[in-house]
């Protein structure tokens, strides 16, 4: 009987600890380039709950930039490392002029991404996006990469966001017509930026994404931030 009670206690302990591990795992909450999810932001922090990725049939153009850490950026990076139970190999000292650097990679081909989102392959994605104005697309990530990854990205003739043969988002760098795939999951992503959507309807009354926008940008004329407002506008015009 004592053994049974001890066994049940162990099971209860494992079950009660499982959600804590999930909540305290910061990696789960750091999205990758091209992720789509529900985004919220306050003065204190931001959160991103991923719902999926669009299907990309054609490469989407990217840009990469190497940036020196600022005090606030290094604090963000350190917080992620601490949350993962790891110690940073980088050091940031105010008095030393040469600061450690990180990379930012961002989607520059907004038209290409918009076109991809509006294809028949992404009908299910669009049906999710039009339900909630808080859905966003991750278009930029900040990360600490290995020397080899940094070199491949910075020296590339061109870089693109593609789907690999498994259907996973990955970055492709082209060097002298040679294509090299670089997995961002092997880098230390510690920050991200998102784009919202502007909606319109085609001639058949089907909703589509007309533009991708920053939070500070307004939507073009005759488009709406909220997809359902298109129907309201149409009803108003009829009246």
């Amino acid at each position: 009987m004592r053994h049974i009670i001890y066994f049940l206690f162990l099971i209860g302990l494992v079950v009660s600890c499982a959600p804590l591990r999930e909540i305290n795992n910061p990696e789960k909450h750091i999205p990758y380039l091209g992720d789509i999810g529900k985004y919220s932001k306050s003065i204190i922090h931001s959160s991103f709950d991923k719902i999926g990725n669009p299907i990309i049939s054609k490469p989407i153009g990217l840009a990469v930039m190497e940036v020196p850490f600022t005090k606030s950026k290094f604090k963000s990076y350190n917080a992620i490392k601490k949350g993962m139970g790891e110690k940073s190999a980088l050091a940031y000292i105010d008095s030393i002029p040469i600061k450690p650097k990180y990379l930012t990679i961002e989607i520059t081909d907004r038209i290409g991404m918009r076109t991809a989102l509006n294809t028949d392959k992404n009908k299910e994605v669009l049906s999710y996006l039009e339900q909630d104005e808080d859905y966003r697309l991750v278009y930029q990530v900040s990360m600490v990469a290995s020397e080899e990854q940094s070199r491949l990205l910075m020296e590339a003739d061109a870089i693109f966001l593609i789907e690999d043969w498994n259907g996973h988002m990955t970055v492709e760098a082209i060097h002298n017509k040679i294509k090299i795939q670089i997995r961002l999951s092997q880098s230390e992503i510690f920050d991200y930026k998102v784009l919202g959507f502007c909606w319109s309807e085609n001639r058949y009354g089907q909703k589509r994404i007309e533009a991708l926008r920053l939070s500070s940008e307004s939507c073009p004329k005759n488009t709406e931030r909220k997809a359902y407002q298109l129907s309201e506008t149409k009803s108003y015009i009829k009246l």
Side-chain angles (χ1 to χ4, degrees):
M1 184 67 181
R2 186 182 300 171
H3 293 300
I4 294 173
I5 294 171
Y6 180 68
F7 179 69
L8 291 173
F9 172 75
L10 284 177
I11 291 175
L13 186 63
V14 170
V15 171
S16 64
C17 288
L20 291 177
R21 285 200 301 271
E22 191 169 309
I23 290 169
N24 291 326
N25 181 5
E27 192 173 16
K28 180 179 182 291
H29 303 286
I30 303 173
Y32 295 121
L33 203 62
D35 280 356
I36 288 175
K38 193 162 186 175
Y39 177 75
S40 63
K41 186 176 182 180
S42 67
I43 298 173
I44 301 171
H45 74 284
S46 62
S47 66
F48 187 93
D49 296 320
K50 179 180 174 180
I51 62 166
N53 298 105
I55 296 170
I56 297 176
S57 301
K58 296 180 180 179
I60 305 293
L62 303 175
V64 62
M65 187 165 56
E66 193 174 47
V67 187
F69 269 105
T70 61
K71 195 171 185 177
S72 61
K73 276 289 185 182
F74 195 75
K75 187 177 179 181
S76 299
Y77 169 67
N78 249 345
I80 295 296
K81 294 293 286 182
K82 284 182 180 178
M84 297 174 68
E86 298 176 5
K87 196 171 182 179
S88 172
L90 302 177
Y92 181 94
I93 303 172
D94 272 332
S95 58
I96 297 177
I98 299 175
K99 302 292 191 287
K101 296 180 180 180
Y102 65 95
L103 298 180
T104 63
I105 301 181
E106 70 174 66
I107 295 171
T108 52
D109 186 6
R110 290 196 201 180
I111 294 174
M113 178 56 79
R114 182 202 66 186
T115 302
L117 286 166
N118 286 320
T119 59
D120 288 341
K121 291 180 179 179
N122 284 307
K123 274 185 178 179
E124 190 175 346
V125 175
L126 281 187
S127 69
Y128 268 96
L129 295 181
E130 68 179 65
Q131 292 172 21
D132 197 321
E133 64 171 310
D134 291 332
Y135 285 137
R136 297 288 186 272
L137 171 81
V138 176
Y139 85 99
Q140 184 192 94
V141 293
S142 299
M143 66 186 199
V144 175
S146 66
E147 287 186 20
E148 177 65 11
Q149 280 189 333
S150 295
R151 184 186 64 79
L152 288 171
L153 288 167
M154 293 302 297
E155 295 179 3
D157 300 320
I159 57 173
F160 298 95
L161 184 67
I162 64 164
E163 274 188 27
D164 64 14
W165 62 280
N166 276 326
H168 297 144
M169 292 283 195
T170 190
V171 172
E172 183 177 76
I174 300 178
H175 290 257
N176 298 320
K177 298 182 180 180
I178 298 173
K179 296 178 179 179
I180 303 167
Q181 290 187 8
I182 301 170
R183 293 195 177 279
L184 296 190
S185 58
Q186 296 173 352
S187 302
E188 298 175 331
I189 297 177
F190 64 92
D191 200 5
Y192 63 95
K193 291 183 180 180
V194 296
L195 291 171
F197 308 101
C198 297
W199 295 87
S200 68
E201 288 183 345
N202 62 19
R203 58 181 177 175
Y204 304 108
Q206 296 170 326
K207 293 181 178 64
R208 65 191 305 275
I209 293 171
E210 194 64 38
L212 301 175
R213 60 168 182 83
L214 296 170
S215 59
S216 58
E217 294 176 333
S218 58
C219 283
K221 189 177 179 181
N222 298 324
T223 67
E224 300 286 351
R225 290 190 178 198
K226 303 172 185 178
Y228 70 81
Q229 286 183 331
L230 294 168
S231 302
E232 292 179 354
T233 303
K234 192 183 293 182
S235 299
Y236 177 78
I237 291 172
K238 285 181 181 178
L239 290 171

